[in-house]
Amino acid sequence: MEIATLSAHPMDELKNRLRIILNVIPPGSNIYYIDYPVYSNGGDLLIMKGTEAFFRENGIRVRARYSAFDFPDGLSVPKDHILVLQGGGNFGDLYPVHQKLRERVVAGYPKNRVVILPQTIHYKDVREFDRTADILNRHKDVHLFVRDTLSLEMAKDKFKRCGVYLSPDMAHQLWPIRGGGEPARELLRFMRTDIEKTAGQDGLALEGAGDDLDWSTLYSRTEHRSIRAIGKVMRISKGKLPVGKFWIRYSDRLVSKAVERFAQYRTVQTSRLHGHILSCLMDKPNVLYDNAYGKNGRYYRCWTQSIASAKLAAEPTNLQSGGMA
């Protein structure tokens, strides 16, 4: 008699691959979690929720949390505490606020281990890349996780004194996410409207009639105003008010709203990497379109191409030229 064996879902494997991070942030470590998002990009919020879930599951003790708004000057950090920086797609020169904070932490704490959670690297200007490398290579204990093989090659070439590792996105820690009930609508088109939008995205031949959204339109005007107000208070208080605890609860609501909205649709077309990842976390059929510098396609080919419900659209011919990544 043959006994059927159940094979693991590819998303189980991706979640398990995050355990590589425990090699540099051992279970039970004391950490400061820095640069968590206080803005309306739901993808970065998913990364944050996955990161916090990873910490809880592995007994990693978060002794303090700081965003880009409230990281104070002259912060005293015990030497045995690890400084852990948020992952995402903002390592490079497209998002200077976050890159400058990252470099400030590396330069300012030479005696603490610094861990940068999974990132995609993209620089338009090689001189900026070299400047970052000079800062990171002065530190003796920096560890950088990256989300695709090109970022890995670039990091190993530039960051000679850093530990560099390949890892999936932190949002995979949230697998599985169960959406409530049967979808009532057919198609959600969740397409970028920001600086990573491709020049020809509006002309893409998207199939079927559907609803069009991005993070900016998923959240209401009231929610956007609330997010900006929270960030303003953080900037003014510099960590002296417990705004962060309120933000954690409020961001739970924002992530839940994204999950509930995606759950309404049978299929998703998206040029947002976390539109794709959220669909995969919900095991929802989805088609991924690339962003302006190829981040999405690289991620798909590295991690999610074995997921039966996910497809990568045909390669665009109009990616931005001149970028390094």
Side-chain angles (χ1 to χ4, degrees):
M1 180 179 66
E2 277 190 26
I3 299 175
T5 56
L6 294 175
S7 58
H9 194 287
M11 291 290 285
D12 290 311
E13 181 183 353
L14 293 179
K15 182 176 181 177
N16 189 56
R17 280 179 173 267
L18 292 174
R19 295 184 62 81
I20 188 177
I21 295 167
L22 299 176
N23 292 335
V24 295
I25 311 176
S29 295
N30 293 306
I31 71 165
Y32 280 27
Y33 178 29
I34 300 169
D35 199 24
Y36 69 89
V38 185
Y39 44 87
S40 59
N41 185 308
D44 287 346
L45 299 182
L46 285 165
I47 292 172
M48 176 178 70
K49 298 305 177 184
T51 301
E52 294 278 9
F54 181 85
F55 295 156
R56 289 192 299 272
E57 182 169 305
N58 294 288
I60 295 167
R61 296 185 286 265
V62 184
R63 299 304 190 186
R65 293 172 177 83
Y66 295 99
S67 72
F69 294 133
D70 62 0
F71 186 80
D73 294 327
L75 178 67
S76 178
V77 181
K79 292 180 181 178
D80 65 339
H81 285 38
I82 302 170
L83 300 174
V84 180
L85 289 147
Q86 166 88 353
N90 57 24
F91 194 109
D93 53 6
L94 287 185
Y95 303 96
V97 169
H98 303 284
Q99 187 63 25
K100 287 177 181 178
L101 175 57
R102 194 174 293 123
E103 294 170 1
R104 177 182 162 198
V105 168
V106 171
Y109 296 89
K111 296 183 179 179
N112 292 85
R113 172 168 290 186
V114 178
V115 177
I116 303 168
L117 294 176
Q119 281 277 351
T120 300
I121 298 175
H122 177 70
Y123 283 87
K124 295 182 293 182
D125 187 341
V126 67
R127 293 169 297 183
E128 284 298 304
F129 201 178
D130 289 337
R131 188 186 60 76
T132 299
D134 183 58
I135 293 169
L136 268 60
N137 287 328
R138 292 178 193 173
H139 199 292
K140 297 179 180 179
D141 198 8
V142 171
H143 301 268
L144 169 62
F145 292 86
V146 293
R147 302 187 300 190
D148 62 78
T149 53
L150 179 57
S151 292
L152 184 70
E153 293 170 6
M154 295 166 67
K156 285 186 172 181
D157 178 61
K158 292 288 187 180
F159 306 136
K160 300 295 189 183
R161 295 191 66 184
C162 304
V164 179
Y165 320 90
L166 187 66
S167 170
D169 186 89
M170 294 302 299
H172 286 284
Q173 183 68 30
L174 299 174
W175 165 260
I177 293 177
R178 305 297 184 196
E182 284 296 315
R185 304 181 187 184
E186 189 59 40
L187 175 65
L188 171 63
R189 289 191 289 251
F190 202 75
M191 307 298 285
R192 299 197 77 111
T193 54
D194 64 359
I195 60 173
E196 293 185 40
K197 172 182 174 181
T198 61
Q201 179 178 289
D202 291 338
L204 289 173
L206 300 176
E207 296 180 0
D211 296 335
D212 294 289
L213 282 177
D214 192 11
W215 298 121
S216 60
T217 49
L218 173 65
Y219 299 125
S220 69
R221 290 183 179 179
T222 299
E223 287 165 336
H224 282 292
R225 283 196 295 268
S226 298
I227 294 166
R228 289 193 295 270
I230 292 167
K232 183 176 181 180
V233 174
M234 280 188 173
R235 193 180 291 112
I236 294 170
S237 69
K238 285 295 181 183
K240 295 177 182 177
L241 296 174
V243 189
K245 293 180 180 179
F246 175 79
W247 170 245
I248 295 299
R249 293 194 298 272
Y250 192 72
S251 60
D252 283 342
R253 170 183 157 182
L254 297 174
V255 170
S256 294
K257 182 175 184 178
V259 171
E260 290 166 6
R261 193 61 182 267
F262 271 60
Q264 295 175 14
Y265 297 89
R266 292 184 178 86
T267 60
V268 176
Q269 295 173 346
T270 184
S271 58
R272 283 279 184 188
L273 179 58
H274 283 85
H276 168 65
I277 291 177
L278 178 55
S279 298
C280 292
L281 288 167
M282 301 175 72
D283 209 12
K284 183 176 294 292
N286 68 96
V287 177
L288 176 64
Y289 291 81
D290 224 330
N291 74 320
Y293 59 88
K295 171 180 70 179
N296 297 350
R298 297 205 306 268
Y299 192 88
Y300 175 88
R301 287 185 286 271
C302 191
W303 302 113
T304 54
Q305 63 179 338
S306 63
I307 297 172
S309 60
K311 301 281 188 294
L312 180 65
E315 290 287 334
T317 58
N318 52 8
L319 295 184
Q320 289 176 356
S321 60
M324 297 186 56

